[in-house]
Amino acid sequence: MKECTISIAVPEKMLKGAGIPGSTFVPSHVYGLKIYFSNTGDEPRICSFSSTLGNGIRYLNNINHEGPDTSLAGRISAVEPSEALGNNNVILFADNFVLSPKSYNCITFDIALCDRYTQSSMENSGDKIPHRSSISFFAHLIEGENAISAGASTTAMDYELKAMCQDEYIKPGEATKFYLHCDCGQYDVARNVYVRSILDEGLEYVGDSCNIEPRNVYKQNGRTIIKWDIGSLQPSESRRIGYMVSMNEVPGMVPGTVLRNKLNSNCINSSEYTQCPSSCQLSIRLEEN
């Protein structure tokens, strides 16, 4: 069993927002990437690592470190796309650092997603990165004769719907509030944005509780469906919808039952005239009355 390991954690989705390199067009959607190092053995180990970020990912520095081996962060170097080297991906590496016994270290740094792939070592110069395409990351750790590899991927987004609920539990007769965020990437206008919320049986929309009046509210197969027309979102604009939902008594429904709010949205990307669907789901549990 290998005593030293490496793993990499990236956001599930990344909304485009890396700005334009060499301009005053600064990043608007910044995310954290984490690389984890562990040594489960009883002896210190000398290691080296490298990590290749996905094509289209812009490195924004801001390295932070957690763990006992504080010298690790100071040893990390970043190689950004360069015509001299011919690389289209950012590469991070560190040589000959020590992982102490029974240690667990994590480095975090900021990244953002460009609108286009890097081509000929020039960031944001290639083909447009398609909405919901996969961006892959890789990391490799060398310890003696052992080589350990890890990978992760994120989903590129031109437009994203996010949601949250103010409560985890609800009782019959009570109400809660859902918050939806319609977020546009930095490089395009999102046109004809619509949002649909599908509430499980027992959950009811509270009339006149929303900051944006729904286009439709109706019942289908016991579920309440709410639809909104949002219009257009400008680059980096975020539009919020807040609405209340009440819980009705449903015969046979027992405490602990999970009630869902299924959400989906779509829009048209202004530069490619392609659809940019986004969906998510919220859950709330029925509490004993």
Side-chain angles (χ1 to χ4, degrees):
M1 181 178 176
K2 296 175 181 178
E3 294 177 337
C4 294
T5 63
I6 189 171
S7 61
I8 185 169
V10 300
E12 180 183 358
K13 300 175 183 178
M14 287 185 67
L15 193 63
K16 293 179 180 178
I20 299 293
S23 76
T24 56
F25 199 47
V26 299
S28 63
H29 300 290
V30 178
Y31 298 85
L33 184 150
K34 296 179 182 290
I35 301 178
Y36 299 95
F37 306 85
S38 68
N39 176 11
T40 60
D42 297 322
E43 300 292 333
R45 300 293 181 185
I46 298 176
C47 301
S48 298
F49 97 94
S50 66
S51 178
T52 303
L53 310 188
N55 189 318
I57 296 296
R58 188 177 179 192
Y59 172 66
L60 298 175
N61 209 323
N62 192 29
I63 292 179
N64 290 287
H65 171 266
E66 295 179 15
D69 301 313
T70 55
S71 64
L72 173 58
R75 289 183 170 271
I76 296 173
S77 298
V79 179
E80 299 185 67
S82 163
E83 291 185 19
L85 298 175
N87 59 313
N88 287 331
N89 302 64
V90 177
I91 301 171
L92 275 75
F93 68 92
D95 294 327
N96 300 323
F97 58 89
V98 176
L99 292 180
S100 55
K102 306 295 184 184
S103 65
Y104 190 76
N105 291 267
C106 174
I107 59 168
T108 305
F109 51 90
D110 289 343
I111 58 173
L113 178 63
C114 294
D115 185 41
R116 297 177 177 274
Y117 292 111
T118 300
Q119 182 175 297
S120 301
S121 303
M122 294 182 62
E123 284 186 322
N124 208 50
S125 66
D127 293 337
K128 187 176 180 68
I129 300 172
H131 178 73
R132 294 207 299 192
S133 59
S134 181
I135 306 289
S136 297
F137 301 74
F138 301 96
H140 308 279
L141 183 72
I142 304 296
E143 184 274 309
E145 297 181 351
N146 297 317
I148 303 95
S149 298
S153 63
T154 188
T155 300
M157 306 294 287
D158 281 305
Y159 163 79
E160 185 177 6
L161 175 68
K162 300 176 183 176
M164 62 171 291
C165 180
Q166 70 177 16
D167 296 295
E168 295 182 13
Y169 295 90
I170 192 169
K171 296 178 182 179
E174 289 185 341
T176 190
K177 194 161 191 176
F178 291 109
Y179 298 97
L180 314 183
H181 293 263
C182 304
D183 295 336
C184 185
Q186 192 173 16
Y187 305 97
D188 290 289
V189 174
R191 303 187 187 279
N192 302 325
V193 181
Y194 81 82
V195 178
R196 179 172 60 181
S197 169
I198 305 174
L199 304 174
D200 273 357
E201 183 180 8
L203 296 175
E204 298 283 346
Y205 172 70
V206 177
D208 299 323
S209 67
C210 187
N211 62 314
I212 298 178
E213 190 66 24
R215 183 186 73 188
N216 300 106
V217 180
Y218 61 94
K219 287 277 194 178
Q220 185 175 6
N221 298 325
R223 293 179 170 88
T224 299
I225 300 175
I226 315 163
K227 292 183 178 180
W228 292 269
D229 288 327
I230 306 300
S232 294
L233 298 177
Q234 297 301 309
S236 300
E237 183 180 357
S238 180
R239 193 79 54 83
R240 189 170 83 162
I241 303 172
Y243 61 105
M244 295 190 70
V245 169
S246 63
M247 179 66 206
N248 294 337
E249 192 84 48
V250 178
M253 189 174 289
V254 298
T257 298
V258 177
L259 300 163
R260 294 177 174 85
N261 181 3
K262 296 179 180 179
L263 298 147
N264 57 69
S265 183
N266 206 344
C267 64
I268 302 296
N269 182 302
S270 64
S271 64
E272 299 287 319
Y273 296 100
T274 55
Q275 296 188 51
C276 299
S278 181
S279 61
C280 58
Q281 179 174 281
L282 293 172
S283 298
I284 189 168
R285 289 185 179 273
L286 182 62
E287 191 174 11
E288 188 170 355
N289 205 342

